[in-house]
Amino acid sequence: MNFQAVLALFSGVISIASFVPYIWDIFRLKTTPHSYSWLIWALLQGTGALAMLGAGADFGAISVAIGAVLCTSVFLLSLRYGTKNITVFDTVCFSGALIATAVWFSLHDALLAIVLVSLIDLLAFLPTFRKAYAEPHSETTATYVLSGIADGLALFALGAFSVTTSLYLFTLVVTNFACAGILWFRRARMAKIRE
């Protein structure tokens, strides 16, 4: 087994492990996923995995493919257990992401697809960033930290390193760690206010 395969294996295991506390917290009614974000992430990760594989990402696309399946699972759970705090801002972000996804499907260009998928993913994170800031105890921080680590490992597991194969993974690393940072910051601020 080569080094890239080992990294991909670790990335895949961490990807799966990152969702265990999140799904557990959903059933404990501690975490309330934002359905718009999770639906978009499910679509994007499926699209991203296919585009990355087509561009030669090989093992590096495994965590993204696993993420697509797990994001779909969380989206389905969000229909019952998700947040009911959907704002106009969230709807605008969701609509923009769907429009951008439709544009990508009509163009069929792998590099453009990855650039759009990365931008759409960032757009899809905005409702969750807003929710994480307003309701920091409604999200599971460990999921975002572990997802960022898994995607970082996946970067090193790429069969071919290019903008097409790496940009989306890099975006996932940044957005997952940013969400974890918002959660930590807001929880710390709220704890100080209570003191």
Side-chain angles (χ1 to χ4, degrees):
M1 187 178 274
N2 69 24
F3 184 65
Q4 289 172 319
V6 170
L7 286 177
L9 178 65
F10 280 126
S11 176
V13 168
I14 293 170
S15 289
I16 293 167
S18 73
F19 280 83
V20 171
Y22 199 89
I23 291 171
W24 176 249
D25 283 350
I26 290 171
F27 286 118
R28 291 177 38 211
L29 304 178
K30 187 176 174 187
T31 290
T32 54
H34 197 289
S35 57
Y36 285 3
S37 291
W38 288 99
L39 172 59
I40 295 168
W41 292 331
L43 294 171
L44 293 179
Q45 292 214 10
T47 302
L50 292 173
M52 289 170 65
L53 283 169
D58 296 331
F59 295 117
I62 290 173
S63 75
V64 178
I66 290 170
V69 172
L70 295 171
C71 286
T72 301
S73 301
V74 173
F75 165 69
L76 293 173
L77 289 171
S78 78
L79 297 175
R80 179 170 180 178
Y81 299 104
T83 185
K84 305 301 180 233
N85 181 13
I86 305 292
T87 67
V88 172
F89 172 77
D90 298 341
T91 302
V92 168
C93 290
F94 180 70
S95 299
L98 289 179
I99 290 167
T101 302
V103 168
W104 172 77
F105 274 111
S106 66
L107 297 178
H108 303 293
D109 178 327
L111 176 58
L112 182 58
I114 290 299
V115 170
L116 284 174
V117 163
S118 299
L119 290 172
I120 296 165
D121 192 89
L122 178 59
L123 188 62
F125 248 106
L126 295 178
T128 296
F129 286 162
R130 181 198 58 78
K131 183 170 135 332
Y133 186 85
E135 304 167 31
H137 295 288
S138 71
E139 289 291 335
T140 305
T141 308
T143 295
Y144 296 102
V145 171
L146 290 172
S147 291
I149 292 169
D151 294 323
L153 287 172
L155 273 169
F156 293 102
L158 292 171
F161 195 84
S162 67
V163 173
T164 306
T165 61
S166 65
L167 179 62
Y168 186 47
L169 286 170
F170 180 76
T171 302
L172 291 173
V173 169
V174 170
T175 52
N176 277 298
F177 283 135
C179 194
I182 291 168
L183 292 168
W184 281 328
F185 172 76
R186 286 295 290 158
R187 288 177 183 177
R189 291 289 301 239
M190 292 174 94
K192 279 190 176 184
I193 292 171
R194 287 190 201 124
E195 290 177 356

